[in-house]
Amino acid sequence: MGAAQPRRAPGSPLPEANPGRSGPGAAGPEPYGPRVPGSLRWPAVPQWRGILVTAAGTVVVDGALWMVAEDTFAALPPAYWAMAVLAVAVDARPYVLANRRASSVVLPSICFTFAIALAWGFLPAVAAQLVAVTVAGVRMRRPVRRVPHLAVQHAGALAGASLVAAATGLRLDPAPHWDDAVLTVAAAAAWIGARYGLAALAAQWRSEGGRPRHHERRGVELFATAALLLLGPVVLAAAQVGLVLVPLVLLALHAVHRMVRSAGEYERAARIDALTGLPNRRSLAAAVAEGSGEGGVRRPQRQLALLLLDLDRFRNVNDALGHPRGDRLLVEVADRLAAAVPTHDLLVRLGGDEFAVLATRVDGPTAARAVAGHLAEVLNRPFHLDGLAVDVSATIGIALRAPAPGGAADPGDAATLLRQAEAAMYDAKQRGDQIAVYGPDAAHHSPERLTLLADLRCALREHPSTFDPPPGSRADRVDPSGVDPSGTDPSDIGSAGVGSAGMGSARMRSAAGAAGPAGPADDGIQLFYQPQIAIATGEVVGVEALLRWQHPRRGLVGAEELIRVAEQTPVMRLLTARVLHEVVAQLAAWQVAGRPVRAAVNVSVRDLHSAEIAERVDGLLRRYGVPASLLQLEITESALMADPHRVLTTITRLDRMGVAISLDDFGTGYSSLQHLRRLPLSEVKIDRSFVLGMVADRGDAAIVRSVIDLAEALRLRVVAEGVEDESTWRMLARVGCHAAQGWFHARPMPADDLLGWLARYRPLRPVPTT
């Protein structure tokens, strides 16, 4: 596979850098399919007509200048005409930095026209400059409307330099003095100030008088401009000595050109994805900061819409076909999207299997959904890799940035817009939809939730705590050099094995033969444990670890809210690593205290999609010397149904390690019997919504009995959640349920309190009633 050709980002200089994209007047389907409500496209102008219009305008203006100052032009020496011809010739190769607009083009002709202005005045200089700008515009294939902008800016710059020269009496001759050099620098400064001042005014005018557009740093551009301007007097001196010396200056111009080109290539490499040739995340940030993809006049009701596309099940392609074909598929996806996105919008690759489109001309959620629907339809056609048809779909999250009052763009940044689009995308995945629009008033991705997620991430990363392993555990036998006698490096397990973000857990302590956490860590994240009771014997058969977070401002945050906030984000893996670390260390402490008990930990589907969780669990069990039979992982039925094949690989490996797997919330996720039969499950947990009403509701009671009968047939244990009264407990005993969990026996409690509760607990056996 050859090197990917870079595709055009809005404002990039050469349209031929985007070979795969169609546009107005191009062959193939119109970008975004049928006209999207709120879209605005400039009328297609054939290239030859644009060239004729631009050339005709230049001829008219130069003709007018000649008529106004005919005597001045007639008296010009041959040196002027030689320098004017060179000015026009060198603008056939203008200097353009990557991702800059027409107003930022550096024309090498300014070397000659600046010198002409200092030697022969403003009118001869601007006449040559207009022709040179026309040549540069044709060469860069600029729209007709852009060339006059560029011409006015350069004419204004020459006027500024000429005013300084006239005010100071500067007139370069073959014998210049030191004061002439100083005045030349002042004239060059006036040229630069007038040029970029007019460019800023034009940008502000295009934004309809609102907030001025963001301008990138112009270090290389200003340096190149200053070098060309100050080279002008040298060219003029050479021309006055002898015209034969003037062409020698082309070598210096070539050196400046190489410098600008190298700087442009470096900047472009930092803004372009190496695999697909699309703009990257940095380009997206710059485009959002500017407020539009291409510029031009924006109507006040128009919005920016960021569409985040996440390819569904792309990892399956890598696993089945290999990473080289996976990369080829990404390139094909990029090509197809590039052909569907119009030139005034920006298509980027964020990384991995994520792409984004910054749509700059939408009127609201309806128009944004229409764009997303077309992009999803574009990807529906199979991709062919070496004769193999590969189906690809994408989940799309949309975030809109509304203009502020008065028509100016809202100053929100790309990070906020991207975070909102990501929240909408995860929301679509969770609900099984393909497209979702971010809404700040929606509970699942409200600003409060985003803030809570950020706080949770900071708590997990910035407040790590350490373990003092309980005496007698394997972790306690690690020597000071850090080498475990078992051959396991604790640094690999305790750090990298649990997450590279510095994850910790509650501090462990030991006293008088008992060990337990020293209390909640500084970040407020702590675990409570709720006992599970065997119904037939009344004995404690295990506990379930339940997460709590004492937020510094919001107070106690429960596990359900934490999971809803973190489950579809990378924070979920950090949270799971934290919980696993605490639970395994606590199991070791209870084991040393002489009260070994099995603990169940909930894990998310995001954790099960990677083999990392099996490695993490194995490392922790080895480090703390905890038998695998004391740890049980609970997966939700909905997580299982989301991607059963990928989940099967992970839980099969855990089962072979001896870690039991429990199916939580059974009855709410529509599991098929085929999956239940194939998965290495040890137990199922009946959802509390059925258990709570089984005494009064015959339907709930029938569901509970059916689940128990099914589990018996599959040789699985059954645990009933939400057992809160004696009647429910006795009914579960009658129908043959194995274990119960709920407030009837015990509420969730900190680890320190559990040992005391176990010491006081006396088994209670139900007496079934007929």
Side-chain angles (χ1 to χ4, degrees):
M1 182 177 65
Q5 294 295 322
R7 294 166 179 79
R8 180 178 180 265
S12 60
L14 301 179
E16 60 265 31
N18 181 27
R21 173 173 293 174
S22 60
E30 184 183 24
Y32 290 156
R35 182 174 176 83
V36 177
S39 64
L40 172 66
R41 298 188 178 94
W42 290 92
V45 178
Q47 185 178 358
W48 63 268
R49 186 179 300 175
I51 294 175
L52 288 180
V53 171
T54 304
T58 302
V59 170
V60 169
V61 174
D62 274 2
L65 292 176
W66 184 279
M67 293 175 61
V68 170
E70 181 178 357
D71 294 341
T72 300
F73 283 97
L76 291 173
Y80 164 80
W81 298 106
M83 296 182 66
V85 169
L86 286 175
V88 174
V90 296
D91 267 5
R93 295 192 66 189
Y95 305 161
V96 183
L97 271 69
N99 297 311
R100 296 298 179 90
R101 302 184 181 278
S103 60
S104 297
V105 174
V106 179
L107 301 182
S109 60
I110 64 176
C111 172
F112 300 96
T113 56
F114 178 69
I116 291 173
L118 298 184
W120 296 293
F122 169 72
L123 291 181
V126 78
Q129 187 69 78
L130 290 178
V131 178
V133 168
T134 301
V135 170
V138 171
R139 175 63 181 84
M140 294 185 296
R141 303 180 188 179
R142 290 293 181 189
V144 175
R145 65 186 184 279
R146 289 292 181 84
V147 177
H149 291 172
L150 199 59
V152 168
Q153 292 168 22
H154 283 77
L158 289 173
S162 299
L163 287 175
V164 171
T168 59
L170 174 64
R171 185 70 65 176
L172 293 182
D173 53 43
H177 301 282
W178 283 107
D179 55 343
D180 293 330
V182 175
L183 295 177
T184 299
V185 172
W191 191 103
I192 293 174
R195 160 79 164 87
Y196 292 107
L198 289 172
L201 290 176
Q204 187 172 4
W205 174 78
R206 285 198 300 271
S207 63
E208 297 185 349
R211 180 175 177 264
R213 296 184 179 276
H214 170 75
H215 289 282
E216 302 175 52
R217 290 178 297 176
R218 300 178 179 269
V220 175
E221 183 180 343
L222 290 175
F223 183 79
T225 300
L228 289 172
L229 293 175
L230 297 180
L231 189 60
V234 178
V235 177
L236 179 62
Q240 291 173 340
V241 172
L243 292 179
V244 69
L245 299 178
V246 174
L248 299 181
V249 79
L250 296 179
L251 181 61
L253 291 177
H254 179 70
V256 176
H257 172 72
R258 293 294 299 177
M259 178 196 69
V260 175
R261 182 177 178 182
S262 297
E265 290 175 351
Y266 176 80
E267 183 176 353
R268 183 175 182 82
R271 292 175 174 270
I272 297 298
D273 175 62
L275 176 64
T276 63
L278 292 175
N280 59 14
R281 189 182 298 262
R282 182 179 174 188
S283 295
L284 176 64
V288 172
E290 283 195 14
S292 113
E294 187 191 31
V297 177
R298 289 172 52 86
R299 295 192 299 195
Q301 69 271 24
R302 291 247 162 95
Q303 300 177 349
L304 288 179
L306 181 62
L307 291 77
L308 177 62
L309 293 82
D310 183 82
L311 302 185
D312 300 323
R313 299 175 299 280
F314 177 74
R315 182 174 295 183
N316 293 348
V317 177
N318 277 337
D319 294 342
L321 304 180
H323 288 277
R325 284 185 177 177
D327 289 346
R328 288 176 55 193
L329 178 60
L330 290 175
V331 173
E332 294 293 332
V333 169
D335 288 340
R336 191 174 292 183
L337 290 175
V341 176
T343 55
H344 55 70
D345 290 346
L346 177 66
L347 171 65
V348 304
R349 182 188 178 215
L350 297 175
D353 59 351
E354 288 188 340
F355 295 83
V357 173
L358 183 65
T360 62
R361 300 176 181 180
V362 296
D363 291 341
T366 302
R369 277 186 175 274
V371 172
H374 179 69
L375 294 176
E377 184 180 350
V378 164
L379 296 178
N380 281 343
R381 301 191 308 273
F383 292 83
H384 297 279
L385 301 175
D386 298 332
L388 181 65
V390 179
D391 290 320
V392 172
S393 61
T395 302
I396 304 176
I398 304 172
L400 296 169
R401 192 179 78 174
D410 191 274
D413 58 10
T416 300
L417 205 60
L418 189 59
R419 186 169 62 248
Q420 293 172 350
E422 186 179 32
M425 184 269 293
Y426 282 129
D427 178 56
K429 284 184 178 291
Q430 189 173 14
R431 293 188 285 108
D433 294 338
Q434 190 170 20
I435 300 171
V437 179
Y438 175 84
D441 55 347
H444 48 270
H445 51 229
S446 64
E448 291 76 13
R449 287 279 173 87
L450 294 176
T451 302
L452 185 63
L453 179 64
D455 292 344
L456 179 59
R457 182 187 292 111
C458 291
L460 292 170
R461 289 182 173 177
E462 297 179 7
H463 297 279
S465 53
T466 59
F467 280 102
D468 296 325
S473 68
R474 178 173 297 178
D476 189 47
R477 298 195 295 270
V478 178
D479 64 28
S481 66
V483 179
D484 190 333
S486 65
T488 304
D489 184 355
S491 64
D492 292 337
I493 298 170
S495 300
V498 182
S500 58
M503 305 292 293
S505 183
R507 295 182 180 273
M508 306 301 296
R509 61 176 174 83
S510 60
D522 293 340
D523 52 27
I525 298 175
Q526 59 186 125
L527 292 176
F528 282 57
Y529 297 88
Q530 186 172 35
Q532 296 174 341
I533 309 298
I535 294 178
T537 64
E539 296 178 353
V540 177
V541 293
V543 295
E544 180 182 3
L546 301 173
L547 185 64
R548 302 287 188 271
W549 183 25
Q550 190 66 37
H551 192 276
R553 295 183 304 276
R554 299 183 54 173
L556 189 64
V557 180
E560 290 186 2
E561 186 171 4
L562 284 177
I563 297 304
R564 282 197 300 267
V565 168
E567 186 168 19
Q568 299 296 332
T569 72
V571 177
M572 189 65 215
R573 291 188 178 179
L574 301 180
L575 188 59
T576 301
R578 169 66 172 269
V579 172
L580 283 173
H581 206 167
E582 282 205 23
V583 169
V584 174
Q586 186 63 67
L587 289 174
W590 286 334
Q591 189 176 17
V592 171
R595 298 301 298 263
V597 61
R598 186 187 70 204
V601 179
N602 286 277
V603 293
S604 73
V605 64
R606 191 180 184 96
D607 300 311
L608 297 174
H609 280 176
S610 171
E612 179 186 355
I613 189 172
E615 298 172 0
R616 178 182 299 135
V617 167
D618 183 59
L620 288 170
L621 293 176
R622 290 177 181 273
R623 180 184 182 190
Y624 287 96
V626 174
S629 59
L630 293 183
L631 180 64
Q632 179 171 291
L633 299 184
E634 295 185 358
I635 62 175
T636 62
E637 190 177 1
S638 57
L640 167 64
M641 295 305 296
D643 198 341
H645 299 290
R646 291 175 66 180
V647 170
L648 175 62
T649 302
T650 302
I651 65 176
T652 299
R653 182 175 176 185
L654 290 165
D655 177 70
R656 290 173 180 171
M657 292 165 46
V659 177
I661 305 297
S662 174
L663 187 59
D664 198 8
D665 299 336
F666 187 75
T668 62
Y670 312 104
S671 292
S672 69
L673 297 180
Q674 177 72 9
H675 291 141
L676 289 178
R677 184 180 63 83
R678 293 179 56 196
L679 292 171
L681 301 174
S682 299
E683 73 174 29
V684 294
K685 300 185 72 175
I686 306 176
D687 187 70
R688 62 185 295 113
S689 61
F690 302 117
V691 176
L692 287 172
M694 65 179 295
V695 174
D697 190 301
R698 292 184 178 181
D700 287 346
I703 291 175
V704 172
R705 286 195 299 269
S706 299
V707 171
I708 293 173
D709 292 341
L710 175 61
E712 286 283 355
L714 296 174
R715 298 180 180 180
L716 300 175
R717 295 190 305 270
V718 182
V719 178
E721 296 182 294
V723 180
E724 298 186 358
D725 54 56
E726 184 176 355
S727 300
T728 304
W729 174 54
R730 293 185 182 279
M731 182 175 287
L732 289 171
R734 290 200 304 270
V735 296
C737 185
H738 299 101
Q741 175 183 339
W743 286 9
F744 175 68
H745 293 286
R747 296 194 176 197
M749 63 192 77
D752 283 344
D753 298 343
L754 183 64
L755 289 180
W757 182 88
L758 289 172
R760 297 188 304 270
Y761 176 72
R762 296 295 179 265
L764 178 64
R765 296 176 176 84
V767 179
T769 60
T770 59

